[in-house]
Structures are given as C-alpha cells and as structure tokens.
Amino acid sequence: MNPDQFIPELEKLKHPRGFLLAGLPRFNKLFGRDSLIVSWQLLDYDPNIAKNTLEVLSEFQGNRTDDLSEEEPGKILHEHIIGTNKHPIRNWPFPYYGSIDSTLLYLVLFYFYFEKTKDKDFINKHWSNILRAIDWIFDYGDKDKNLFIEYQRKNPEGLFNQGWKDSDFIKPKQPVEIVEVQGYQYFALIKIAELNEFLNKDSNFSQKLKQRANNLKEKFNQDFWMEEKKYFALGLDGDKKQIQYITSNPGHLLFTEIVHQDKVDFVVKRLFAQDMWTAYGIRTHSSLEENFDPLSYHCGSIWPHDNWIIAKGLKKLGYLKEYELIKEAILKVYKEVGYVPEYYTAIDQKLIVKGFKEKEPDYPQAWATGALINFLMN
C-alpha cells in the first residue's frame, strides 16, 4: 500500500489554515488533542501540518481564568470552530478548554516538530507560547502542588472526564490525576529543557524543568503502580486513591520514558494478555473488568490512534515484535473493511465496526487515518 492513496481522506479534513479537523461527520472542528496527535503522526509525510496546527493553537492559547469555557492562562483548547463563539449543541462558549492533555501534547509536538525540521525560527517565534504552557503546568495543571496534573470540571455541563477517554465511562471523585497525562508531562518537561539548552536560553530554567521531571518520575512510579496487579492504575481520584481498572492508558507511558526500567516489561506483557489483546489491536479496557463492554465507546472498543501511540513506545524501547503485531493488526482492519474507522471492536476475534451504543464511528477520522499512514511509512 502507498501512503499517498490515503491523502484524499485527509484532504477532506484539511481546514483552509492548514490544520486537520478531527473527523466527519461529527467532529468537523479544531480539536487540540486530535489535531496535535495527527500532526505528530504525519510529521514524516508533511511537517507543515504540525506547523500550522501549532500556529493556530498558539493563537487561541488561554489568557484568563473562566469557569464556563474552562480557560486558564497558558492552556491549549479542547474544541473550537473558528469564527464562532458557542458550541452548536452544548452550553459551552468557544473556544472550550476542557482537556487536560492538549497543553502537554502541544509542548510534545513543538519538540517533535523541531526534531524533524530544525526550524529554530519557528520555535523562537513561539517561545513565549511555550513558556506560558510550562507556566500552566506549574500554576494551574498541578493545583495541589503534588507534581501530578489533575482535572476537575468547572462548567457543570462541560466534560466530566478530560483525558482522551472523555466519555462518562467512569465517574471517580474529582479532581482526577489520569495516568497517561503524567507521562506526557514528564516527556514535555525533559524535552522543553533540551530545547531550551539547544537555543542557549536560561540554564536555570532547564534545571527547574529537569528537577521537576526527576521528582515526578519517582513519585509517579510509587503512587500509580499497583503492586499486586503489576501494572499502573488508570489514575488517582480526589482522595488520592488508585482507580484500579486495567486499561490501555498506561501503554501511552512507554514513549515518554517515565516508567522505571524494572516495570516496563510488566506493562508490555499486560497489554498483550488475552483480556486486552485481539487480532485487531489492544482494547481500551480489560475484558475482565466488571464494566467491560466491547460495544462501548471507551470500555472495550479498540482505537487505532491509541494503539499507534502504544506502538511508538514499543518501538522506541526495542519491543519490535510487539510493535509489528500492532502494525499488522491495524493493516488487517484496513484489508477487511477498506478503511480504518475512528474505533471498532472485536468479539470472538471477529471485527465489528457497527452497532455501538453511544455513537457510530466517524470516517474519515484524522488520527485513525494518520495512524495507518504512519505505519505504512515506518
């Protein structure tokens, strides 16, 4: 398969400003998380998509504190339709900022974009945006100053869960410290410190970021690790108790390198255990959990972008066999269906793309198609 054959799908999603809308028909909007992740996926194909995405998200970076929009200074938006000031259905002003990971992924993409292009002028142009996003981590992301980034809905009609699994699949006591976000934070701190050094900026700033990252890594591996289950908890709830579901979320930690080396193999093996692994990829939620449902949005379905992020970490850490298993699983979906949908499921090892309870999968979906293109190029 030639990656070029899938570009017409992405062209349907391309905004005139050069970033990608999340998907059709429901998600034809700018989404911070989605647009950042697909930009990362397509860096080898067209780094200008990442550049355009970072440009527009910088334009709408938060400037004030507003409970209704959940805006905070330095924060990156969750959802927006450029040219409008209100969500068409929900009681949200636009831009809406109810995402706990967009700001961190914004920093991550700046690093990956620079690593790919060495575009110092662009990084320098947006250095103040980068600094404001870092300030958000210290001042707003970690409100209780325990090193972990947490979310708590401010708008009573906003999103309850504000990680990538943003349906109401669980409703723990808030604020919630979700697992993958701590890995994103660690990676962002380390890599922005490296960028700072490369650009010969304030050395004290690099030291500040590295110190926080080192402390975060130690505390994270202690507080999130479920010793009996040999796996990381989905998160910590408002009482700092572990949310002990077995999910795909800890797989995102692998590319970030926050996991202590003695725990990596346990994480990888758990992801490929029978209750998580299928012929079409890793499930979002273990089939052994009491709330598992293969036809749910986030409690048992399979998401290509989720699998792709996990695969990136596997490859980085040398788990090449496991990387190839995920790659082959996503290609298998394409061969059987003729496209890669937003999500799907497997029941008795059979692929199912229809009949979901909450909503039917979108197609084309930016980060699903982006995952396929990246697998074909790497």
Side-chain angles (χ1 to χ4, degrees):
M1 284 183 282
N2 184 340
D4 289 340
Q5 74 188 80
F6 303 103
I7 298 307
E9 294 181 15
L10 296 181
E11 288 296 324
K12 295 177 184 177
L13 300 173
K14 185 168 279 190
H15 188 272
R17 293 192 57 177
F19 64 85
L20 294 179
L21 305 169
L24 297 174
R26 292 190 311 277
F27 300 127
N28 58 335
K29 308 177 186 74
L30 170 62
F31 279 83
R33 178 189 304 118
D34 300 52
S35 297
L36 288 161
I37 289 175
V38 71
S39 297
W40 173 17
Q41 292 168 331
L42 296 176
L43 272 172
D44 290 339
Y45 187 84
D46 183 1
N48 283 318
I49 295 173
K51 185 176 185 178
N52 294 333
T53 301
L54 291 167
E55 190 79 62
V56 73
L57 291 175
S58 296
E59 179 181 330
F60 293 104
Q61 188 172 23
N63 288 308
R64 60 189 180 127
T65 301
D66 183 277
D67 286 356
L68 198 60
S69 68
E70 310 209 35
E71 181 179 356
E72 292 169 338
K75 195 175 187 182
I76 298 303
L77 64 81
H78 169 64
E79 182 178 350
H80 189 36
I81 299 174
I82 295 175
T84 65
N85 59 14
K86 192 177 187 305
H87 193 287
I89 300 172
R90 299 175 184 261
N91 185 25
W92 299 345
F94 266 171
Y96 174 65
Y97 292 82
S99 165
I100 198 58
D101 51 4
S102 292
T103 310
L104 303 166
L105 290 169
Y106 171 80
L107 293 168
V108 167
L109 186 63
F110 265 116
Y111 171 77
F112 282 136
Y113 173 77
F114 180 76
E115 183 182 49
K116 180 67 180 178
T117 66
K118 300 298 186 288
D119 187 349
K120 287 176 63 175
D121 290 342
F122 184 74
I123 300 299
N124 278 315
K125 175 184 176 184
H126 290 289
W127 191 247
S128 63
N129 299 103
I130 291 171
L131 293 181
R132 291 176 63 217
I134 291 290
D135 286 343
W136 174 85
I137 293 175
F138 284 84
D139 298 338
Y140 296 93
D142 178 18
K143 290 183 173 62
D144 62 5
K145 309 306 177 191
N146 72 338
L147 298 177
F148 301 140
I149 303 295
E150 67 261 0
Y151 64 81
Q152 182 167 15
R153 177 172 62 180
K154 295 179 179 179
N155 180 340
E157 297 184 41
L159 292 170
F160 183 89
N161 287 311
Q162 298 190 354
W164 89 257
K165 294 177 182 175
D166 59 6
S167 66
D168 289 350
F169 77 114
I170 57 163
K171 296 198 78 172
K173 182 179 179 181
Q174 292 193 341
V176 175
E177 297 163 344
I178 207 76
V179 63
E180 73 273 15
V181 166
Q182 315 316 321
Y184 299 164
Q185 179 194 181
Y186 176 81
F187 188 86
L189 291 167
I190 292 293
K191 297 306 180 182
I192 296 304
E194 289 181 9
L195 266 182
N196 182 73
E197 291 167 359
F198 184 85
L199 297 171
N200 294 314
K201 297 185 183 291
D202 182 5
S203 60
N204 291 330
F205 180 63
S206 291
Q207 187 58 39
K208 175 185 176 182
L209 299 190
K210 289 180 180 179
Q211 185 63 54
R212 180 180 176 91
N214 292 336
N215 293 340
L216 169 64
K217 185 170 186 175
E218 294 307 311
K219 185 171 174 57
F220 173 79
N221 279 274
Q222 175 180 315
D223 291 3
F224 277 73
W225 185 249
M226 300 183 290
E227 183 59 34
E228 289 186 8
K229 298 185 179 184
K230 301 295 183 186
Y231 199 60
F232 288 101
L234 174 60
L236 304 181
D237 68 14
D239 294 323
K240 307 301 182 187
K241 293 180 180 178
Q242 292 180 344
I243 305 168
Q244 293 198 331
Y245 291 117
I246 300 294
T247 67
S248 62
N249 299 56
H252 290 215
L253 302 172
L254 298 175
F255 88 85
T256 73
E257 299 185 14
I258 196 175
V259 179
H260 280 161
Q261 190 58 45
D262 63 346
K263 295 179 172 64
V264 171
D265 206 47
F266 286 113
V267 172
V268 173
K269 288 179 178 177
R270 194 67 191 81
L271 289 166
F272 286 88
Q274 190 173 2
D275 59 311
M276 291 293 288
W277 174 249
T278 77
Y280 301 98
I282 296 169
R283 295 184 175 106
T284 48
H285 210 70
S286 165
S287 62
L288 299 178
E289 298 291 358
E290 61 182 5
N291 60 343
F292 170 77
D293 183 345
L295 292 172
S296 73
Y297 197 51
H298 288 137
C299 270
S301 56
I302 302 164
W303 288 64
H305 90 278
D306 184 34
N307 276 259
W308 178 81
I309 294 175
I310 295 170
K312 291 293 287 185
L314 291 168
K315 190 174 186 180
K316 180 178 182 178
L317 296 177
Y319 289 87
L320 301 184
K321 176 185 174 183
E322 289 81 359
Y323 170 85
E324 289 295 333
L325 283 173
I326 294 180
K327 177 178 179 177
E328 290 167 9
I330 302 303
L331 294 178
K332 184 178 174 69
V333 173
Y334 174 77
K335 290 172 183 174
E336 291 193 18
V337 183
Y339 64 96
V340 177
E342 176 187 10
Y343 60 96
Y344 48 85
T345 196
I347 299 177
D348 297 328
Q349 297 299 316
K350 293 181 180 178
L351 177 65
I352 296 172
V353 297
K354 298 287 184 183
F356 288 87
K357 294 179 178 179
E358 290 95 338
K359 56 192 81 172
E360 292 297 325
D362 265 12
Y363 175 78
Q365 186 79 5
W367 59 11
T369 301
L372 177 61
I373 291 172
N374 189 273
F375 277 130
L376 290 173
M377 295 184 71
N378 291 280

